[in-house]
């Protein structure tokens, strides 16, 4: 995963001693990783990084736009770079209508014919029915992601979260760099703040398991192995 990092500091006016450093935020791009296809309206319900990965894997891009190298921005856009040309494929904006969302294509230097060619190639792929069975939990659309998480932790589904006793459990997209997660939970980097535990469940996906409430760490310890299967 490529990262361009920014350390965020809080400075108190008139004080010569800087405040504690906050976890660094990722401002760069992610390398491509294997991902199953999610299409139609469901594509608008996945995490941004997943959306970018799906768009980057949607077509054999070399056959459509020529030799390119792909990456995914933190905002979830697929960048395809080749020579002097940059093709950007993202959700939102005018382009391919998927119902609750859309796919927009821009080409630099400007090339409207290439934009139309890309949208035409994407249409049959992103409008076809897909089977979400076998899709990794971090790549599922929100309703299916929440349902699977609640099944794994034996929780009651809520709005993008599960309630387990007095705890709330969710999967959340994050821009924090896990190299500054000082603890480990379930064998994975973790950030513990008060009664909230955030665990990076996969090294290649910017998604955390977030557990809050009394006994959050113990619950997270039991949940992480289930999510890593």
């Amino acid at each position: 995963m490529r990262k361009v990092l920014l350390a965020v500091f809080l400075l108190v006016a008139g004080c010569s001693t800087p405040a504690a450093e906050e976890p660094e935020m990722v401002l760069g791009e992610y390398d491509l990783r294997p991902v199953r296809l999610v299409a139609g309206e469901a594509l608008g319900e996945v995490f941004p990084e997943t959306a970018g990965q799906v768009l980057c894997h949607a077509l054999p891009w070399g056959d459509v736009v020529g030799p390119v190298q792909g990456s995914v921005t933190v905002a979830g856009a697929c960048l395809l770079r080749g020579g002097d040309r940059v093709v950007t494929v993202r959700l939102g904006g005018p382009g391919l209508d998927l119902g609750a969302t859309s796919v927009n294509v821009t080409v630099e230097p400007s090339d409207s014919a290439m934009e139309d060619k890309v949208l035409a190639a994407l249409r049959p792929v992103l409008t076809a029915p897909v089977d979400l069975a076998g899709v990794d939990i971090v790549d599922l659309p929100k309703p299916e992601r929440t349902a699977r998480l609640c099944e794994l932790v034996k929780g009651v589904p809520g709005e993008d979260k599960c309630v387990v006793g007095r705890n709330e459990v969710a999967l959340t997209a994050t821009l924090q760099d896990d190299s500054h997660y000082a603890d480990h939970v379930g064998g994975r980097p973790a950030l513990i703040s008060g009664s909230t535990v955030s665990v990076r469940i996969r090294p290649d996906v910017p998604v955390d398991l977030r557990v809050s409430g009394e006994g959050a760490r113990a619950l997270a310890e039991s949940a992480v192995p289930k999510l890593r299967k």
Side-chain angles (χ1 to χ4, degrees), residues 108-131:
E108 299 177 5
S110 181
D111 187 337
S112 58
M114 179 60 72
E115 292 173 2
D116 292 341
K117 180 181 180 181
V118 171
L119 287 171
L122 286 170
R123 181 169 288 106
V125 177
L126 296 182
T127 58
V130 296
D131 184 359

Side-chain angles (χ1 to χ4, degrees), residues 2 29-33 35 43 48-59 61 65 68-81 85-91 103-107 118 122 126:
R2 279 179 300 179
E29 299 167 12
Y30 302 105
D31 291 327
L32 299 188
R33 60 178 177 86
V35 66
L43 188 55
E49 188 265 352
T50 295
Q53 295 287 351
V54 168
L55 295 173
C56 274
H57 287 287
L59 294 171
W61 288 108
V65 299
V68 290
Q69 182 175 2
S71 63
V72 175
T73 72
V74 293
C78 169
L79 294 183
L80 303 165
R81 297 183 176 94
R85 175 184 289 161
V86 180
V87 179
T88 303
V89 188
R90 61 167 65 88
L91 295 185
V103 177
N104 174 261
V105 176
T106 57
V107 180
V118 171
L122 286 170
L126 296 182

